[in-house]
Amino acid sequence: MGSLLFFALLLVGCGPGALSYQLFKQEWSMLILTHHWPQTFCYMEHCETDVDYWSLHGLWPNKGFTCNSTWHFNASLIEDLMPLMRKWWPDLLNPTDSAATGFWKHEWMKHGTCAAQAETMNSEHKYFSKALELYSRLNLDGTLKSHNIVPSETYYSLDEIERAINSSYHVKPKIQCVQPATGEQMQILGQLEICFDSEFNLVDCHRSGGSISLPSQPNGSTGYRVCDPAIKIYYPPIKKRHTKHHMGGFFKAGL
Ligand SMILES: *[C@@H]1O[C@H](CO)[C@@H](O)[C@H](O)[C@H]1NC(C)=O
Ligand SMILES: *[C@@H]1O[C@H](CO)[C@@H](O)[C@H](O)[C@H]1NC(C)=O
Ligand SMILES: *[C@@H]1O[C@H](CO)[C@@H](O)[C@H](O)[C@H]1NC(C)=O
Ligand SMILES: *[C@@H]1O[C@H](CO)[C@@H](O)[C@H](O)[C@H]1NC(C)=O
């Protein structure tokens, strides 16, 4: 009894984070595969993009950031993955710089070094391969299209989007939106998170500990919030590169 009390005091004293790290090699229990809608990302970041599919943002353990700051990113270790990375995990802030690897470096340092606590992802190559594999296995973009959830000037309800995802994967996603700067009574679809357990089985994202909101890219303004079920959702169509007008044309119809 005495030692149990001591242990309990120790827990309180050290804080659960420090102690659990000592006791368990792997702190996290869930992986969040985050997809972003490039149009919305670029609306927030003032970039331009013609990426017309849900691209990969990251594969994030639900606990831990920058778990090993000495494990530096080395792009040459994932040279063979580059064609896939550029296509499905593009750095939307640097679309024309094919040598830019800063986005992936950021994802590796902040999240990959934590994912790497699991043997299945304990190298840079394994981590990025796994993210690409999960992304391709889900085919979220195709799933939404097959349920007629497509970019449109009309609006969707959160329920419609959730149901489409549920009917394909049978789990709860986390759906994030951005508030328009203009204070319109709508929200803009921004990120879709699908969650996996450490064995890469699909799980509900809203399980305990599964809800984190992270800053996006190195300097990302983290404008994403869980979408409000009471407000209609705008899923912005692709703004072609040649229509240069800043954000003027972005919310053209329906307002
Ligand atoms: C951190 O990374 C370095 C460099 O790869 C490695 O030698 C070290 O074992 C890692 N530490 C932990 C705790 O994983
Ligand atoms: C990056 O990895 C390559 C291939 O293994 C290796 O030759 C190179 O020395 C590494 N660079 C750094 C800075 O560690
Ligand atoms: C998926 O939808 C079904 C039917 O509407 C519902 O019963 C179930 O709770 C939903 N599952 C999740 C994980 O949202
Ligand atoms: C990031 O934002 C900070 C603060 O707004 C700014 O000082 C810095 O120059 C930005 N860095 C980049 C790379 O844009």
Side-chain angles (χ1 to χ4, degrees), residues 21 68 70-71:
Y21 191 75
N68 188 344
T70 63
W71 201 342

Coordinates of all heavy atoms in Angstrom, one line a residue, residues 21 68 70-71, ligand 1:
Y21 N 6.9 8.5 -20.6 CA 8.0 8.3 -21.6 C 9.1 7.3 -21.1 O 9.6 6.6 -21.9 CB 8.7 9.7 -21.9 CG 9.6 9.5 -23.1 CD1 9.0 9.4 -24.4 CD2 11.0 9.4 -23.0 CE1 9.8 9.3 -25.5 CE2 11.8 9.3 -24.1 CZ 11.2 9.2 -25.3 OH 12.0 9.0 -26.4
N68 N 12.8 13.6 -31.4 CA 14.3 13.4 -31.4 C 14.9 14.5 -32.3 O 15.0 14.4 -33.5 CB 14.6 12.0 -32.0 CG 16.1 11.7 -31.9 OD1 16.9 12.6 -31.7 ND2 16.4 10.4 -32.0
T70 N 17.8 15.4 -32.7 CA 19.1 15.1 -33.4 C 19.0 14.3 -34.6 O 19.9 14.0 -35.3 CB 20.1 14.5 -32.4 OG1 19.6 13.2 -32.0 CG2 20.3 15.4 -31.2
W71 N 17.8 13.8 -34.8 CA 17.5 12.9 -36.0 C 17.2 13.8 -37.2 O 16.1 14.0 -37.6 CB 16.4 11.9 -35.7 CG 16.4 10.7 -36.5 CD1 17.1 10.5 -37.7 CD2 15.7 9.5 -36.2 NE1 16.8 9.2 -38.2 CE2 16.0 8.6 -37.3 CE3 14.9 9.0 -35.2 CZ2 15.5 7.3 -37.3 CZ3 14.4 7.8 -35.2 CH2 14.7 6.9 -36.3
Ligands
LIG1 C1 17.8 10.1 -31.9 O1 18.3 10.1 -33.2 C2 19.7 9.7 -33.2 C3 20.2 10.0 -34.6 O2 19.5 9.2 -35.6 C4 19.8 8.3 -32.8 O3 21.2 7.9 -32.8 C5 19.3 8.2 -31.4 O4 19.3 6.8 -31.0 C6 17.8 8.7 -31.3 N1 17.4 8.7 -30.0 C7 16.2 8.1 -29.6 C8 15.9 8.2 -28.2 O5 15.5 7.5 -30.4

